[in-house]
Amino acid sequence: MAIKRTKAEKKQAYDRKLCSLLDEYTKVLIALADNVGSKQLQDIRSGLRGDSVVLMGKNTLIRRCIKAYADKTGNHTFDPLMDLLVGNVGLIFTKGDLKEVREEVAKYKVGAPARVGLVAPVDVVVPPGNTGLDPSQTSFFQVLNIPTKINKGTVEIITPVELIKKGDKVGSSESALLAKLGIRPFSYGLQITNVYEDGSVFSPEVLDLTEEDLIEKFATGVSMVASLSLALSYPTLAAAPHMFINGYKNVLAVAVETDYSYPHADKIKEYLKDPSKFAVVAAPVAAADSGAAAAPKEEEKKAEEPAEESDDDMGFSLFD
């Protein structure tokens, strides 16, 4: 027979377990566990087994354990977790890829009925069609202003109806109707609210960023730095190429307008004095193109002539 432990012993065991996890892991997902059943939580633990551990418990107990761990070891990197322990939340300690762990957790969602008093997480729309209910059940639809008709001895909904809006509480009539129709409009699972890694806390949306997104954001930032630097005439690495190019343009403009010159400016001045040199360069190219186009036509004509003579040389013609 197992010996029943006291509350103090249970808290001490929980403290030892949490401290060992803090020693071993550096990445934690904070998950909201509203409306998550024990069987569902067991399936999630089983799916994450290997490189992740799900820890549930009272927020005050977890805070006290983290504070005691920090005072004992001098490691205060987990202190930001204490501010995130609000509501019915749990901690997922992991050594794997954070995005993959979040996707694995998201797989374990189960449908749930609309219970009275629940706040709807999504809009609930009743689709049109045959309900399979007998005509005596029309009172439910009348109370909720749902247009119906009797078709082959059963109630049929004519048009889709938005029964519950997101954020509204589920009433008794809505709950009863959805139960009769066999509709389970809500789905619940562990919802990742925050991500902790090596002392930093960030939103789970950050995990959706790809390398292309990061490159695009970095390029946008560099462009903004370059624009600001150019406007202020303040040299930075981002603005340096533009400053050199703009400076070269200014030097070239001065050389063109004055007698001062240098090798690169000489070419520009030469072209500006005699624009016909552009045409001289372009003419041979055009002539070469026309000559190349005429050559294949002449070759085709030469290829056709021997074919006509070959019939006569053999002593007969196709037209005789």
Side-chain angles (χ1 to χ4, degrees), residues 261-314:
S261 186
Y262 56 93
H264 292 290
D266 290 339
K267 287 186 178 181
I268 302 298
K269 288 183 176 182
E270 187 178 354
Y271 287 133
L272 292 175
K273 288 179 181 178
D274 188 5
S276 62
K277 290 186 177 181
F278 290 103
V280 172
V281 174
V285 176
D289 291 341
S290 61
K297 294 182 179 180
E298 294 179 359
E299 291 179 0
E300 289 178 5
K301 290 180 180 179
K302 290 179 180 179
E304 290 175 0
E305 291 174 358
E308 294 175 359
E309 295 173 356
S310 62
D311 293 338
D312 297 334
D313 294 341
M314 294 181 67

Short mmCIF file of all heavy atoms in Angstrom, two decimals, residues 261-314:
data_model
loop_
_atom_site.label_atom_id
_atom_site.label_comp_id
_atom_site.label_asym_id
_atom_site.label_seq_id
_atom_site.Cartn_x
_atom_site.Cartn_y
_atom_site.Cartn_z
N SER A 261 40.00 68.64 -65.87
CA SER A 261 39.62 67.36 -66.44
C SER A 261 40.48 66.24 -65.84
O SER A 261 41.52 66.48 -65.22
CB SER A 261 39.78 67.37 -67.96
OG SER A 261 39.27 66.17 -68.51
N TYR A 262 40.02 65.02 -66.08
CA TYR A 262 40.74 63.80 -65.71
C TYR A 262 40.28 62.71 -66.67
O TYR A 262 39.30 62.89 -67.41
CB TYR A 262 40.49 63.44 -64.23
CG TYR A 262 39.04 63.29 -63.85
CD1 TYR A 262 38.42 62.04 -63.87
CD2 TYR A 262 38.28 64.40 -63.46
CE1 TYR A 262 37.09 61.90 -63.51
CE2 TYR A 262 36.96 64.26 -63.11
CZ TYR A 262 36.36 63.00 -63.13
OH TYR A 262 35.05 62.86 -62.79
N PRO A 263 40.94 61.55 -66.71
CA PRO A 263 40.66 60.56 -67.77
C PRO A 263 39.20 60.20 -67.95
O PRO A 263 38.70 60.17 -69.07
CB PRO A 263 41.48 59.35 -67.32
CG PRO A 263 42.62 59.93 -66.55
CD PRO A 263 42.07 61.13 -65.85
N HIS A 264 38.47 59.95 -66.90
CA HIS A 264 37.07 59.55 -67.05
C HIS A 264 36.22 60.72 -67.54
O HIS A 264 35.28 60.53 -68.31
CB HIS A 264 36.52 59.03 -65.71
CG HIS A 264 37.12 57.73 -65.28
ND1 HIS A 264 36.86 56.55 -65.92
CD2 HIS A 264 37.99 57.43 -64.28
CE1 HIS A 264 37.53 55.57 -65.34
NE2 HIS A 264 38.24 56.07 -64.34
N ALA A 265 36.57 61.93 -67.10
CA ALA A 265 35.81 63.09 -67.55
C ALA A 265 36.08 63.40 -69.01
O ALA A 265 35.22 63.94 -69.71
CB ALA A 265 36.14 64.30 -66.68
N ASP A 266 37.29 63.05 -69.51
CA ASP A 266 37.62 63.30 -70.91
C ASP A 266 36.66 62.58 -71.84
O ASP A 266 36.24 63.12 -72.87
CB ASP A 266 39.06 62.85 -71.20
CG ASP A 266 40.08 63.77 -70.52
OD1 ASP A 266 39.70 64.92 -70.20
OD2 ASP A 266 41.23 63.33 -70.31
N LYS A 267 36.32 61.35 -71.51
CA LYS A 267 35.39 60.59 -72.36
C LYS A 267 34.03 61.26 -72.41
O LYS A 267 33.41 61.37 -73.47
CB LYS A 267 35.24 59.17 -71.82
CG LYS A 267 36.46 58.29 -72.06
CD LYS A 267 36.17 56.86 -71.63
CE LYS A 267 37.37 55.97 -71.91
NZ LYS A 267 37.12 54.56 -71.53
N ILE A 268 33.55 61.70 -71.26
CA ILE A 268 32.24 62.35 -71.22
C ILE A 268 32.28 63.64 -72.03
O ILE A 268 31.34 63.93 -72.81
CB ILE A 268 31.85 62.66 -69.75
CG1 ILE A 268 31.83 61.36 -68.93
CG2 ILE A 268 30.49 63.33 -69.69
CD1 ILE A 268 30.84 60.34 -69.40
N LYS A 269 33.33 64.41 -71.88
CA LYS A 269 33.44 65.66 -72.64
C LYS A 269 33.48 65.39 -74.14
O LYS A 269 32.90 66.11 -74.94
CB LYS A 269 34.69 66.42 -72.21
CG LYS A 269 34.61 67.04 -70.83
CD LYS A 269 35.87 67.84 -70.52
CE LYS A 269 35.76 68.54 -69.18
NZ LYS A 269 36.95 69.35 -68.89
N GLU A 270 34.19 64.33 -74.53
CA GLU A 270 34.30 63.99 -75.94
C GLU A 270 32.94 63.65 -76.53
O GLU A 270 32.59 64.07 -77.64
CB GLU A 270 35.27 62.82 -76.10
CG GLU A 270 35.60 62.48 -77.55
CD GLU A 270 36.60 61.36 -77.65
OE1 GLU A 270 37.13 60.92 -76.60
OE2 GLU A 270 36.83 60.89 -78.78
N TYR A 271 32.17 62.88 -75.80
CA TYR A 271 30.83 62.51 -76.28
C TYR A 271 29.92 63.73 -76.34
O TYR A 271 29.09 63.85 -77.26
CB TYR A 271 30.21 61.45 -75.37
CG TYR A 271 30.82 60.08 -75.53
CD1 TYR A 271 31.19 59.33 -74.42
CD2 TYR A 271 31.02 59.53 -76.80
CE1 TYR A 271 31.75 58.08 -74.56
CE2 TYR A 271 31.59 58.28 -76.95
CZ TYR A 271 31.95 57.55 -75.82
OH TYR A 271 32.51 56.31 -75.97
N LEU A 272 30.05 64.62 -75.36
CA LEU A 272 29.20 65.81 -75.37
C LEU A 272 29.54 66.76 -76.51
O LEU A 272 28.67 67.43 -77.06
CB LEU A 272 29.31 66.54 -74.03
CG LEU A 272 28.74 65.81 -72.81
CD1 LEU A 272 29.01 66.58 -71.52
CD2 LEU A 272 27.23 65.60 -72.97
N LYS A 273 30.83 66.84 -76.89
CA LYS A 273 31.24 67.70 -78.00
C LYS A 273 30.76 67.17 -79.34
O LYS A 273 30.39 67.93 -80.24
CB LYS A 273 32.76 67.84 -78.01
CG LYS A 273 33.31 68.70 -76.89
CD LYS A 273 34.83 68.77 -76.96
CE LYS A 273 35.39 69.63 -75.82
NZ LYS A 273 36.87 69.66 -75.85
N ASP A 274 30.78 65.85 -79.50
CA ASP A 274 30.41 65.25 -80.79
C ASP A 274 29.46 64.08 -80.57
O ASP A 274 29.87 62.92 -80.50
CB ASP A 274 31.68 64.78 -81.52
CG ASP A 274 31.37 64.33 -82.95
OD1 ASP A 274 30.21 64.50 -83.37
OD2 ASP A 274 32.29 63.84 -83.61
N PRO A 275 28.15 64.37 -80.43
CA PRO A 275 27.18 63.29 -80.19
C PRO A 275 27.09 62.29 -81.34
O PRO A 275 26.59 61.19 -81.16
CB PRO A 275 25.86 64.05 -80.03
CG PRO A 275 26.25 65.44 -79.67
CD PRO A 275 27.55 65.69 -80.37
N SER A 276 27.57 62.67 -82.53
CA SER A 276 27.50 61.76 -83.68
C SER A 276 28.32 60.50 -83.46
O SER A 276 28.13 59.50 -84.14
CB SER A 276 27.97 62.48 -84.94
OG SER A 276 29.34 62.88 -84.81
N LYS A 277 29.24 60.55 -82.50
CA LYS A 277 30.03 59.35 -82.22
C LYS A 277 29.17 58.21 -81.70
O LYS A 277 29.50 57.05 -81.86
CB LYS A 277 31.13 59.68 -81.21
CG LYS A 277 32.23 60.56 -81.79
CD LYS A 277 33.36 60.74 -80.80
CE LYS A 277 34.48 61.57 -81.42
NZ LYS A 277 35.61 61.74 -80.48
N PHE A 278 28.05 58.57 -81.09
CA PHE A 278 27.12 57.52 -80.66
C PHE A 278 26.57 56.80 -81.87
O PHE A 278 26.45 55.57 -81.89
CB PHE A 278 25.98 58.13 -79.85
CG PHE A 278 26.41 58.63 -78.51
CD1 PHE A 278 26.58 59.99 -78.29
CD2 PHE A 278 26.64 57.76 -77.47
CE1 PHE A 278 26.97 60.47 -77.05
CE2 PHE A 278 27.03 58.23 -76.22
CZ PHE A 278 27.20 59.58 -76.02
N ALA A 279 26.22 57.55 -82.93
CA ALA A 279 25.68 56.96 -84.15
C ALA A 279 26.73 56.14 -84.87
O ALA A 279 26.44 55.09 -85.45
CB ALA A 279 25.13 58.05 -85.06
N VAL A 280 27.98 56.60 -84.88
CA VAL A 280 29.06 55.86 -85.54
C VAL A 280 29.24 54.49 -84.90
O VAL A 280 29.48 53.49 -85.57
CB VAL A 280 30.38 56.68 -85.47
CG1 VAL A 280 31.54 55.84 -85.96
CG2 VAL A 280 30.25 57.96 -86.27
N VAL A 281 29.11 54.45 -83.59
CA VAL A 281 29.25 53.17 -82.88
C VAL A 281 28.06 52.27 -83.17
O VAL A 281 28.19 51.06 -83.33
CB VAL A 281 29.39 53.42 -81.37
CG1 VAL A 281 29.39 52.10 -80.61
CG2 VAL A 281 30.68 54.18 -81.09
N ALA A 282 26.88 52.87 -83.27
CA ALA A 282 25.67 52.07 -83.45
C ALA A 282 25.53 51.58 -84.88
O ALA A 282 24.96 50.51 -85.12
CB ALA A 282 24.44 52.90 -83.07
N ALA A 283 26.06 52.33 -85.90
CA ALA A 283 25.87 51.96 -87.30
C ALA A 283 26.47 50.62 -87.65
O ALA A 283 25.81 49.78 -88.28
CB ALA A 283 26.43 53.06 -88.20
N PRO A 284 27.73 50.32 -87.28
CA PRO A 284 28.27 49.00 -87.62
C PRO A 284 27.49 47.86 -87.00
O PRO A 284 27.35 46.80 -87.59
CB PRO A 284 29.69 49.06 -87.05
CG PRO A 284 30.02 50.51 -86.96
CD PRO A 284 28.73 51.19 -86.66
N VAL A 285 26.97 48.11 -85.84
CA VAL A 285 26.18 47.06 -85.19
C VAL A 285 24.92 46.77 -85.99
O VAL A 285 24.54 45.63 -86.23
CB VAL A 285 25.82 47.49 -83.75
CG1 VAL A 285 24.92 46.45 -83.10
CG2 VAL A 285 27.08 47.69 -82.94
N ALA A 286 24.25 47.85 -86.47
CA ALA A 286 23.03 47.67 -87.25
C ALA A 286 23.35 46.99 -88.58
O ALA A 286 22.61 46.13 -89.05
CB ALA A 286 22.37 49.03 -87.50
N ALA A 287 24.49 47.38 -89.20
CA ALA A 287 24.88 46.77 -90.47
C ALA A 287 25.18 45.29 -90.30
O ALA A 287 24.83 44.47 -91.14
CB ALA A 287 26.10 47.50 -91.04
N ALA A 288 25.84 44.98 -89.20
CA ALA A 288 26.17 43.57 -88.93
C ALA A 288 24.91 42.74 -88.76
O ALA A 288 24.80 41.61 -89.24
CB ALA A 288 27.05 43.46 -87.69
N ASP A 289 23.91 43.34 -88.11
CA ASP A 289 22.65 42.62 -87.89
C ASP A 289 21.94 42.37 -89.21
O ASP A 289 21.40 41.29 -89.47
CB ASP A 289 21.74 43.42 -86.95
CG ASP A 289 22.30 43.46 -85.54
OD1 ASP A 289 23.15 42.60 -85.24
OD2 ASP A 289 21.89 44.34 -84.76
N SER A 290 21.90 43.40 -90.10
CA SER A 290 21.21 43.24 -91.39
C SER A 290 21.94 42.24 -92.27
O SER A 290 21.32 41.45 -92.98
CB SER A 290 21.10 44.60 -92.09
OG SER A 290 22.41 45.13 -92.34
N GLY A 291 23.29 42.26 -92.22
CA GLY A 291 24.05 41.30 -93.02
C GLY A 291 23.84 39.88 -92.55
O GLY A 291 23.73 38.95 -93.35
N ALA A 292 23.74 39.71 -91.24
CA ALA A 292 23.51 38.37 -90.69
C ALA A 292 22.14 37.86 -91.06
O ALA A 292 21.93 36.66 -91.27
CB ALA A 292 23.68 38.41 -89.17
N ALA A 293 21.16 38.78 -91.16
CA ALA A 293 19.81 38.36 -91.52
C ALA A 293 19.72 38.00 -92.99
O ALA A 293 18.95 37.12 -93.40
CB ALA A 293 18.82 39.49 -91.19
N ALA A 294 20.50 38.70 -93.86
CA ALA A 294 20.44 38.42 -95.30
C ALA A 294 21.17 37.13 -95.65
O ALA A 294 20.80 36.44 -96.61
CB ALA A 294 21.05 39.59 -96.07
N ALA A 295 22.19 36.78 -94.89
CA ALA A 295 22.98 35.59 -95.20
C ALA A 295 22.16 34.30 -95.21
O ALA A 295 22.26 33.50 -96.14
CB ALA A 295 24.16 35.48 -94.24
N PRO A 296 21.30 34.05 -94.24
CA PRO A 296 20.51 32.81 -94.27
C PRO A 296 19.61 32.72 -95.48
O PRO A 296 19.38 31.64 -96.02
CB PRO A 296 19.70 32.89 -92.98
CG PRO A 296 20.49 33.78 -92.09
CD PRO A 296 21.12 34.78 -92.98
N LYS A 297 19.06 33.89 -95.96
CA LYS A 297 18.17 33.85 -97.12
C LYS A 297 18.93 33.41 -98.37
O LYS A 297 18.44 32.63 -99.18
CB LYS A 297 17.55 35.23 -97.35
CG LYS A 297 16.60 35.64 -96.22
CD LYS A 297 15.98 36.99 -96.51
CE LYS A 297 15.03 37.39 -95.40
NZ LYS A 297 14.41 38.70 -95.64
N GLU A 298 20.17 33.93 -98.54
CA GLU A 298 20.97 33.55 -99.70
C GLU A 298 21.32 32.07 -99.66
O GLU A 298 21.30 31.38 -100.67
CB GLU A 298 22.24 34.40 -99.75
CG GLU A 298 21.97 35.87 -100.01
CD GLU A 298 23.24 36.68 -100.02
OE1 GLU A 298 24.31 36.07 -99.79
OE2 GLU A 298 23.19 37.90 -100.24
N GLU A 299 21.62 31.59 -98.45
CA GLU A 299 21.94 30.17 -98.31
C GLU A 299 20.75 29.30 -98.65
O GLU A 299 20.89 28.23 -99.25
CB GLU A 299 22.41 29.89 -96.88
CG GLU A 299 23.78 30.51 -96.57
CD GLU A 299 24.19 30.24 -95.15
OE1 GLU A 299 23.41 29.58 -94.43
OE2 GLU A 299 25.28 30.69 -94.75
N GLU A 300 19.53 29.76 -98.32
CA GLU A 300 18.33 28.99 -98.64
C GLU A 300 18.13 28.91 -100.15
O GLU A 300 17.76 27.87 -100.69
CB GLU A 300 17.12 29.65 -97.98
CG GLU A 300 17.11 29.49 -96.46
CD GLU A 300 15.94 30.19 -95.84
OE1 GLU A 300 15.10 30.72 -96.60
OE2 GLU A 300 15.85 30.20 -94.60
N LYS A 301 18.36 30.05 -100.84
CA LYS A 301 18.21 30.05 -102.30
C LYS A 301 19.19 29.10 -102.94
O LYS A 301 18.87 28.34 -103.86
CB LYS A 301 18.41 31.46 -102.85
CG LYS A 301 17.28 32.42 -102.48
CD LYS A 301 17.53 33.80 -103.06
CE LYS A 301 16.41 34.75 -102.70
NZ LYS A 301 16.64 36.11 -103.24
N LYS A 302 20.46 29.12 -102.47
CA LYS A 302 21.49 28.23 -103.03
C LYS A 302 21.14 26.77 -102.77
O LYS A 302 21.41 25.90 -103.58
CB LYS A 302 22.84 28.55 -102.42
CG LYS A 302 23.40 29.90 -102.88
CD LYS A 302 24.74 30.18 -102.24
CE LYS A 302 25.29 31.52 -102.69
NZ LYS A 302 26.60 31.81 -102.06
N ALA A 303 20.53 26.52 -101.63
CA ALA A 303 20.17 25.14 -101.29
C ALA A 303 19.04 24.64 -102.16
O ALA A 303 18.92 23.45 -102.45
CB ALA A 303 19.78 25.05 -99.83
N GLU A 304 18.15 25.54 -102.62
CA GLU A 304 17.01 25.13 -103.44
C GLU A 304 17.43 24.85 -104.89
O GLU A 304 16.87 23.99 -105.54
CB GLU A 304 15.95 26.24 -103.42
CG GLU A 304 15.27 26.38 -102.06
CD GLU A 304 14.33 27.56 -102.03
OE1 GLU A 304 14.24 28.23 -103.08
OE2 GLU A 304 13.69 27.79 -100.98
N GLU A 305 18.40 25.58 -105.44
CA GLU A 305 18.79 25.43 -106.85
C GLU A 305 19.30 24.04 -107.20
O GLU A 305 18.85 23.43 -108.17
CB GLU A 305 19.84 26.49 -107.21
CG GLU A 305 19.26 27.89 -107.23
CD GLU A 305 20.33 28.94 -107.45
OE1 GLU A 305 21.50 28.54 -107.54
OE2 GLU A 305 19.99 30.13 -107.51
N PRO A 306 20.20 23.42 -106.46
CA PRO A 306 20.67 22.07 -106.80
C PRO A 306 19.53 21.06 -106.79
O PRO A 306 19.53 20.10 -107.55
CB PRO A 306 21.68 21.76 -105.71
CG PRO A 306 22.15 23.09 -105.24
CD PRO A 306 20.97 23.99 -105.36
N ALA A 307 18.52 21.28 -105.99
CA ALA A 307 17.42 20.32 -105.92
C ALA A 307 16.66 20.31 -107.23
O ALA A 307 16.20 19.27 -107.71
CB ALA A 307 16.49 20.71 -104.77
N GLU A 308 16.50 21.48 -107.92
CA GLU A 308 15.78 21.53 -109.19
C GLU A 308 16.59 20.87 -110.30
O GLU A 308 16.06 20.19 -111.17
CB GLU A 308 15.50 22.99 -109.55
CG GLU A 308 14.53 23.65 -108.55
CD GLU A 308 14.35 25.14 -108.84
OE1 GLU A 308 15.00 25.61 -109.78
OE2 GLU A 308 13.57 25.78 -108.13
N GLU A 309 17.92 21.06 -110.28
CA GLU A 309 18.77 20.50 -111.34
C GLU A 309 18.90 18.99 -111.22
O GLU A 309 19.08 18.31 -112.21
CB GLU A 309 20.17 21.13 -111.25
CG GLU A 309 20.15 22.63 -111.56
CD GLU A 309 21.50 23.26 -111.29
OE1 GLU A 309 22.38 22.50 -110.82
OE2 GLU A 309 21.67 24.46 -111.55
N SER A 310 18.75 18.45 -110.06
CA SER A 310 18.97 17.02 -109.86
C SER A 310 17.95 16.19 -110.62
O SER A 310 18.26 15.11 -111.12
CB SER A 310 18.90 16.69 -108.38
OG SER A 310 17.61 17.00 -107.89
N ASP A 311 16.72 16.69 -110.79
CA ASP A 311 15.71 15.94 -111.52
C ASP A 311 16.08 15.83 -112.99
O ASP A 311 15.91 14.79 -113.63
CB ASP A 311 14.34 16.62 -111.39
CG ASP A 311 13.85 16.54 -109.95
OD1 ASP A 311 14.32 15.64 -109.23
OD2 ASP A 311 13.00 17.36 -109.57
N ASP A 312 16.60 16.92 -113.59
CA ASP A 312 16.97 16.91 -115.01
C ASP A 312 18.18 16.02 -115.25
O ASP A 312 18.28 15.35 -116.27
CB ASP A 312 17.28 18.34 -115.48
CG ASP A 312 16.03 19.22 -115.37
OD1 ASP A 312 14.92 18.64 -115.42
OD2 ASP A 312 16.18 20.45 -115.20
N ASP A 313 19.11 16.02 -114.32
CA ASP A 313 20.32 15.21 -114.51
C ASP A 313 20.02 13.73 -114.55
O ASP A 313 20.73 12.94 -115.17
CB ASP A 313 21.31 15.47 -113.37
CG ASP A 313 21.83 16.92 -113.44
OD1 ASP A 313 21.71 17.52 -114.51
OD2 ASP A 313 22.32 17.41 -112.40
N MET A 314 18.95 13.29 -113.96
CA MET A 314 18.64 11.84 -113.94
C MET A 314 17.85 11.42 -115.19
O MET A 314 17.48 10.27 -115.32
CB MET A 314 17.83 11.50 -112.69
CG MET A 314 18.65 11.70 -111.41
SD MET A 314 17.72 11.29 -109.96
CE MET A 314 17.56 9.51 -110.21
#
